[in-house]
Amino acid sequence: MNLELTDLTLMQAIEALRSGEISSRELTRACLERIEKLEPSLHAFLHLAAESALAQADEADRQQVTGDGQHKPLLGIPIAVKDVLAVEGLPCTAGSKILEGFVPPFTATAVKRLQEAGAIAIGKTNTDEFAMGSSTENSAYGMTHNPWDLTRVPGGSSGGSAAAVAARMVPAALGTDTGGSVRQPAAFCGVTGLKPTYGRVSRYGLVAYGSSLDVAGALGHTAEDVALLFSIMAGRDALDATTQDVAVPTIDLVGATLAVASGRGLAPPLHGLRIGVPREYFVRGIQVEVEAGVRQAVSVLEGLGAEVHEISLPHSEYALPVYYIISPAEASANLARYDGIRYGSRIQAEAMWDIFYRTRGRKFGAEVERRIMLGTYALSAGYYDAYYGQAQKVRTLIKRDFEQAFERVDVIAAPVAPTTAFPIGAHRDDPLAMYLEDVFTLPANLAGVPGLAFPVGFDGAGLPVGMQLMGQHFHEDVLLRAAHAYQQVTDWHMRAPSL
Ligand code: GLN
């Protein structure tokens, strides 16, 4: 094979492994070498598991030869895992000093299912502390750089995973999305990223941020790659009571071609697909090239048979204030467990309370502290109704906007973020400006609906432009099918940064 092994998509890598053209050891080693070469400039990883990854690769190669791994679709495929998802035996910091040294004795269900399908966790990727942020600048272990322009952020909070995929360090990676953390970094780094329906993928082993919003998703080069990972991760899990027992589209690998066993299928054309373009998502302040890129992509989808309608999601403007009340409120409760006793690092003191005060006082970063305070305030007796209660009511209105829209259309097309990747430091001292980066991704989380981001072009500075498709609850396959059709007739998703 004349191609760099690290340039293979997930599907191509699977095919090459199955045919015996390459071994998992070769692929895993190639990834490790690429990581070693690029880490000094990107810092996408917080932890590498080189030795165990190579050992697992050898085992995968053995199973490939003996046929023991025949039923494992991801046999021998290295993937990267955002450091908020637990992998037994590997450190899990969530980008925070308070979890320094914590090695979970269990594996997140989403990761476990991929491992059972043969995938190899090659390392843990960088993230904003407790997934709070849109740039990875809030990581306590240093930021990640955007592979397309090292002076820019990769987005966040799954910035390490998006950068690792974009830089061809791994064929695919896992992220989490509470308010846009899979989609926005995917857009900033020019990769494809899926935020599944809330309750579609187990949150067991996912470090909780906003429990009514959190979901694990996949990042890869193509909609097909992401579809495959998603189909394996998704489904009911007894360890997470919010997961739903809704049939997951099963994706069969038939040689190199992807066939979908479920009704709706992944194959083009998009004849009859109704796409809604919400007017509230094309507002003042959006970068001209982002709007142009999205509108251009919508006409490509139209050319593939889709019908395009203008729609309205009237409560969109409230998503930002609602999210920044609900998510800190949930975070303030979730983060109460980091007390210096049970997990990670501790600042020692005589009295128990002093351990709590000192550890929490010094080990949380500024953004996390801010959100704990905001959330505690919003939940406090005197302000609960005015803030948290009110936010929950408006959340219902946002959800209804989507329900009404989905009576008329099958998917909603929108920008992922108002701009392409911004310069490092641009919003560092202005949390509100940073929060504004999330305006277009938050509504899907508040409504619980799936969202898929994929590249649709570049701006004048050579930075990727992304767009997102949002769909009805549990209709991820509709989004994936549309993006797959788009990727059959365009090649933005195959462009690589020169590094
Ligand atoms: N950027 C958003 C925030 O800061 C979303 C983060 C996320 O999805 N984890 O909360």
Side-chain angles (χ1 to χ4, degrees):
M1 186 172 287
N2 218 352
L3 205 66
E4 291 280 349
L5 292 186
T6 49
D7 284 333
L8 299 174
T9 66
L10 181 70
M11 288 296 180
Q12 289 169 337
I14 290 171
E15 184 49 27
L17 285 166
R18 290 203 163 190
S19 67
E21 209 171 337
I22 62 170
S23 69
S24 174
R25 171 166 273 268
E26 285 167 340
L27 178 61
T28 306
R29 185 174 282 289
C31 290
L32 288 167
E33 279 167 9
R34 180 119 180 124
I35 292 169
E36 199 178 317
K37 176 176 156 215
L38 297 176
E39 256 311 84
S41 43
L42 293 179
H43 188 40
F45 283 85
L46 293 179
H47 180 77
L48 266 181
E51 242 172 72
S52 72
L54 287 169
Q56 290 172 67
D58 288 340
E59 173 59 19
D61 287 333
R62 191 193 64 77
Q63 294 187 16
Q64 197 75 257
V65 172
T66 59
D68 292 349
Q70 224 176 4
H71 59 288
K72 297 182 182 173
L74 300 174
L75 186 63
I77 295 287
I79 55 160
V81 179
K82 183 182 184 181
D83 202 29
V84 298
L85 289 160
V87 181
E88 184 183 342
L90 303 188
C92 186
T93 67
S96 182
K97 289 283 177 197
I98 211 162
L99 274 177
E100 198 165 24
F102 173 57
V103 179
F106 52 84
T107 298
T109 300
V111 179
K112 192 168 202 129
R113 289 186 177 176
L114 297 180
Q115 287 176 328
E116 284 165 0
I120 298 168
I122 202 170
K124 306 294 294 288
T125 54
N126 202 5
T127 168
D128 289 290
E129 185 173 0
F130 287 106
M132 297 176 186
S134 312
S135 69
T136 76
E137 292 169 289
N138 294 337
S139 169
Y141 301 97
M143 74 192 68
T144 298
H145 296 256
N146 190 310
W148 293 91
D149 177 348
L150 299 177
T151 70
R152 307 236 170 197
V153 303
S157 61
S158 312
S161 286
V165 174
R168 273 66 183 167
M169 292 165 145
V170 281
L174 293 188
T176 61
D177 194 311
T178 305
S181 278
V182 164
R183 289 162 289 156
Q184 186 253 23
F188 279 17
C189 291
V191 303
T192 303
L194 175 69
K195 169 215 142 15
T197 305
Y198 178 80
R200 180 63 121 162
V201 177
S202 173
R203 287 179 294 113
Y204 177 75
L206 191 173
V207 175
Y209 161 19
S211 301
S212 75
L213 303 154
D214 295 339
V215 64
L219 299 102
H221 294 301
T222 68
E224 260 189 327
D225 289 359
V226 166
L228 178 62
L229 295 176
F230 164 70
S231 72
I232 295 168
M233 286 156 65
R236 169 91 187 129
D237 177 20
L239 297 171
D240 173 2
T242 60
T243 52
Q244 305 257 338
D245 206 358
V246 176
V248 179
T250 54
I251 294 175
D252 279 333
L253 286 168
V254 185
T257 55
L258 180 82
V260 172
S262 87
R264 286 188 288 250
L266 262 188
L270 300 180
H271 181 72
L273 184 78
R274 298 166 304 166
I275 299 181
V277 180
R279 76 178 77 92
E280 291 81 4
Y281 282 61
F282 296 89
V283 285
R284 236 173 342 115
I286 179 173
Q287 190 179 324
V288 178
E289 294 143 307
V290 170
E291 169 156 3
V294 172
R295 292 208 187 269
Q296 174 63 30
V298 169
S299 38
V300 171
L301 294 170
E302 200 170 13
L304 291 166
E307 298 164 19
V308 179
H309 303 274
E310 196 192 47
I311 59 159
S312 172
L313 297 167
H315 297 93
S316 299
E317 63 173 307
Y318 302 112
L320 192 102
V322 167
Y323 173 86
Y324 278 100
I325 290 171
I326 291 177
S327 74
E330 294 182 4
S332 72
N334 277 325
L335 271 55
R337 72 188 63 162
Y338 304 108
D339 52 11
I341 306 284
R342 287 174 289 182
Y343 306 89
S345 62
R346 167 185 312 173
I347 296 179
Q348 201 48 270
E350 290 274 304
M352 181 187 72
W353 288 108
D354 287 336
I355 296 179
F356 295 173
Y357 284 138
R358 289 190 199 173
T359 305
R360 289 177 64 85
R362 290 190 215 150
K363 299 279 182 175
F364 282 134
E367 182 61 27
V368 174
E369 261 177 12
R370 177 180 301 123
R371 295 197 192 191
I372 291 174
M373 288 191 283
L374 283 172
T376 307
Y377 183 79
L379 290 177
S380 61
Y383 295 96
Y384 184 95
D385 289 338
Y387 291 105
Y388 189 74
Q390 192 68 9
Q392 291 291 16
K393 288 181 193 153
V394 182
R395 180 176 187 176
T396 302
L397 297 177
I398 291 168
K399 222 167 152 181
R400 274 198 207 136
D401 280 358
F402 279 94
E403 282 161 12
Q404 275 159 13
F406 287 130
E407 285 169 11
R408 291 186 52 210
V409 297
D410 304 302
V411 304
I412 295 173
V416 181
T419 64
T420 54
F422 50 85
I424 288 167
H427 302 323
R428 198 177 283 150
D429 305 316
D430 187 351
L432 259 183
M434 188 72 95
Y435 298 170
L436 271 169
E437 289 294 329
D438 306 331
V439 278
F440 300 143
T441 47
L442 304 174
N445 298 81
L446 292 168
V449 300
L452 178 70
F454 54 98
V456 295
F458 289 88
D459 72 3
L463 298 165
V465 173
M467 93 153 184
Q468 68 173 326
L469 295 176
M470 292 173 276
Q472 299 184 52
H473 291 115
F474 301 102
H475 283 203
E476 290 89 355
D477 57 336
V478 178
L479 312 182
L480 290 161
R481 182 169 62 102
H484 177 65
Y486 177 84
Q487 292 179 342
Q488 297 307 293
V489 296
T490 56
D491 74 345
W492 306 114
H493 61 292
M494 294 314 290
R495 309 277 178 98
S498 50
L499 281 159

